[in-house]
Amino acid sequence: GAGNEKVRLANGVDVSFTGLGNTLRVAANGTATLNGKAVGGTTPNPTPPTPPPPPANWFDANVTDAALRSLGRTLYADGVLSRTDIISLLRNVQDGSVIDATEIYDLRKIASTTVLFGGNDAVRTLFSYVVNGTTANRNSQGQALGNLAIGSSAAHMEKLVGKWFLGLDRPAATGTYRAIAGTLFVSGTSYTDIRQGAIGDCYFVASLAEVAHRSANTIVNMFTVNGAGTYTVKFFNQSQAVYVTVDSFLPTNSSGQLMYASRGAMHNNAGNELWVALAEKAYVQLNEFGFTRAGIAGSGQNSYAAINGGYICSALSHITGQSTVNF
């Protein structure tokens, strides 16, 4: 027939020819002859097209510092920034003697992008405490610290990492801190797990007992087990979640017995149940924010002695996030 023709052969090549008076024969093996002469044709795309680039990684599009961008791209390959990832990012900016303005800007942009954390509010919030600051950053390990700022030292950053992610800002206490053996929960939670120690925080431990009795899951959900002997503990400030991290070191007397909650338990007893003592320690650290004892002696201090005396109506709200009415 008249007109131009194009035939794609079985081997994927095209043969083009003028149709009038011509005969194309195609064999089963994909070869072809035109008017009795072999033809090879041409490939539809002689040069394979360049594959489209993968979707832009958030860090490539949003982070300016080269080292932070490169590390972030790798860590975010799975689509979520974990606690370990965040610690790595914070330590990455310690590559020089000071934290510069670009690094501060990039870290704060990461902290403000909720989607990067895959719904892990604890990690995002703790990260924000480090890079955006909080009143609780005034001190660490009994010494003045302060919020991160342009020109802050690498050592300053590491103290903030230790405070919020590693539980190293241990409260001032009588006695000696020792690593405590045991597990977080033994056969669930119960009000009978409560044993008050050498501090007048009956209002707090009684509130723990009541919540354990009425809503055990609330106690369980307070704790995130991070591994390496650290726990992130959730409280509330007027229904807004607030987090602190504690390690498994607790104050003991000269005989190695716990002094505060779970008083008398031996530090090396593998059968210890830790949740009450860790919740109490976390509540002491929470006091640094200043809202738990507003207008009461000891407000803002990271010290067991500072939580002496208080109100159940406040403690219940801090533990549950629910409003309370004082009678």
Side-chain angles (χ1 to χ4, degrees):
N4 296 324
E5 308 287 350
K6 183 163 101 172
V7 176
R8 176 160 295 180
L9 307 183
N11 60 3
V13 301
D14 290 342
V15 175
S16 298
F17 61 99
T18 300
L20 183 61
N22 292 301
T23 301
L24 178 73
R25 297 183 182 275
V26 181
N29 64 2
T31 61
T33 60
L34 181 63
N35 300 327
K37 294 182 180 180
V39 291
T42 58
T43 59
N45 296 292
T47 303
T50 302
N57 184 285
W58 185 91
F59 281 82
D60 290 331
N62 293 279
V63 174
T64 302
D65 181 80
L68 195 61
R69 181 173 64 248
S70 176
L71 177 61
R73 182 192 310 121
T74 300
L75 296 177
Y76 192 57
D78 60 357
V80 63
L81 292 177
S82 67
R83 171 181 176 273
T84 302
D85 294 340
I86 288 299
I87 293 174
S88 296
L89 290 173
L90 291 172
R91 286 177 169 164
N92 175 267
V93 300
Q94 298 178 25
D95 52 358
S97 58
V98 298
I99 315 301
D100 62 39
T102 299
E103 291 167 331
I104 291 280
Y105 174 81
D106 286 340
L107 289 173
R108 290 176 178 170
K109 191 167 188 179
I110 294 168
S112 68
T113 308
T114 305
V115 68
L116 297 176
F117 298 87
N120 193 330
D121 185 60
V123 171
R124 184 192 62 80
T125 303
L126 292 173
F127 183 46
S128 178
Y129 295 160
V130 174
V131 302
N132 292 321
T134 169
T135 56
N137 284 341
R138 287 187 301 268
N139 300 289
S140 179
Q141 301 175 41
Q143 298 181 346
L145 182 59
N147 288 326
L148 193 69
I150 297 171
S152 289
S153 67
H156 188 153
M157 171 66 89
E158 189 59 30
K159 287 181 179 178
L160 289 170
V161 171
K163 180 182 182 76
W164 294 113
F165 286 96
L166 306 180
L168 297 180
D169 189 15
R170 299 168 186 156
T174 302
T176 302
Y177 273 97
R178 288 184 172 93
I180 307 301
T183 55
L184 186 59
F185 300 110
V186 176
S187 300
T189 66
S190 169
Y191 71 92
T192 59
D193 296 335
I194 307 298
R195 188 162 68 252
Q196 186 178 352
I199 193 69
D201 63 348
C202 56
Y203 65 97
F204 177 68
V205 293
S207 297
L208 288 178
E210 177 70 6
V211 176
H213 182 57
R214 299 281 184 176
S215 179
N217 282 340
T218 300
I219 297 295
V220 173
N221 292 334
M222 286 176 66
F223 293 89
T224 299
V225 180
N226 301 318
T230 68
Y231 305 84
T232 297
V233 187
K234 177 171 66 175
F235 293 100
F236 294 90
N237 178 19
Q238 296 182 349
S239 77
Q240 179 69 43
V242 185
Y243 300 89
V244 295
T245 300
V246 297
D247 64 13
S248 53
F249 284 72
L250 293 168
T252 62
N253 62 20
S254 58
S255 300
Q257 297 172 306
L258 295 184
M259 297 181 59
Y260 299 110
S262 302
R263 183 176 183 175
M266 286 298 300
H267 72 96
N268 56 359
N269 181 358
N272 288 329
E273 186 170 32
L274 304 178
W275 75 267
V276 180
L278 293 178
E280 181 186 58
K281 180 184 180 184
Y283 197 62
V284 176
Q285 293 179 198
L286 187 74
N287 188 39
E288 286 193 290
F289 284 98
F291 67 83
T292 59
R293 300 178 63 81
I296 306 176
S299 180
Q301 299 176 26
N302 187 16
S303 164
Y304 277 93
I307 67 167
N308 235 325
Y311 299 101
I312 287 177
C313 60
S314 297
L316 280 172
S317 181
H318 299 149
I319 294 167
T320 67
Q322 298 186 41
S323 60
T324 59
V325 178
N326 190 23
F327 288 88

